[in-house]
Amino acid sequence: MTDREQPVTLRTRKFIRNPLLGRKQMVVDVLHPSRANVSKDELRSKLAELYKASKDAVSVFGFRTQYGGGKSTGFALIYDSQEVMKKFEPHYRLVRYGQATKVEKASRQQRKQRKNRAKTVRGTAKAKGAAKDKKK
């Protein structure tokens, strides 16, 4: 059998219905004795099937495999609709699921260097302005 065909058992704990955020939230225990781990994409589709929801409205994150393998534990959110998910879910997770595009920006170091270069330019401009005032 291939890896995807190996049996996987999902158990949910600490199930809470959160009407203010329009979602169901729960801790998910994944039993996978003959596999190293289970992909988040596969977990999303299995949870959607289990709770009769759209796969696009399911968010899974924070999975940790227990020492020795065979069991992973993480968190799942099942939103009432995709619109509610886009409203409340963090942008980086929407990017992971392909529901938003990543904002491309310069690296952190480049942004800091640009900021500091701009500071020096402004400083000299201020000094020139102050020198002119003193001459008057």
Side-chain angles (χ1 to χ4, degrees):
M1 282 197 287
T2 61
D3 208 28
R4 270 204 173 265
E5 294 171 8
Q6 296 290 338
V8 171
T9 308
L10 294 181
R11 290 204 182 118
T12 58
R13 301 183 283 126
K14 298 183 180 178
F15 181 90
I16 296 172
R17 176 80 185 91
N18 190 336
L20 288 175
L21 297 177
R23 70 187 184 195
K24 303 172 190 104
Q25 46 198 56
M26 65 205 79
V27 173
V28 180
D29 292 326
V30 186
L31 301 173
H32 46 93
S34 52
R35 293 170 66 165
N37 56 18
V38 186
S39 72
K40 287 183 193 163
D41 192 52
E42 191 177 339
L43 289 174
R44 285 177 67 208
S45 55
K46 285 187 182 290
L47 279 168
E49 185 184 312
L50 203 65
Y51 284 93
K52 298 174 180 64
S54 166
K55 180 184 172 188
D56 293 331
V58 178
S59 173
V60 293
F61 56 94
F63 278 86
R64 288 277 170 264
T65 305
Q66 281 191 356
Y67 179 74
K71 183 180 178 183
S72 299
T73 304
F75 207 72
L77 305 171
I78 301 172
Y79 286 90
D80 296 340
S81 68
Q82 197 172 351
E83 292 75 39
V84 179
M85 183 174 180
K86 283 189 177 180
K87 185 178 178 185
F88 292 115
E89 196 71 357
H91 191 262
Y92 74 94
R93 285 207 292 249
L94 291 174
V95 170
R96 277 183 193 170
Y97 305 137
Q99 295 179 7
T101 55
K102 186 177 180 187
V103 178
E104 293 297 328
K105 54 186 176 184
S107 73
R108 184 175 170 90
Q109 186 175 4
Q110 285 175 335
R111 292 196 311 261
K112 287 181 174 219
Q113 287 171 348
R114 188 179 302 135
K115 181 219 19 150
N116 288 330
R117 278 198 302 271
K119 275 199 317 196
T120 58
V121 170
R122 283 193 210 113
T124 56
K126 282 180 189 172
K128 286 177 185 173
K132 287 177 185 174
D133 291 340
K134 287 179 184 174
K135 287 180 184 176
K136 287 182 182 176

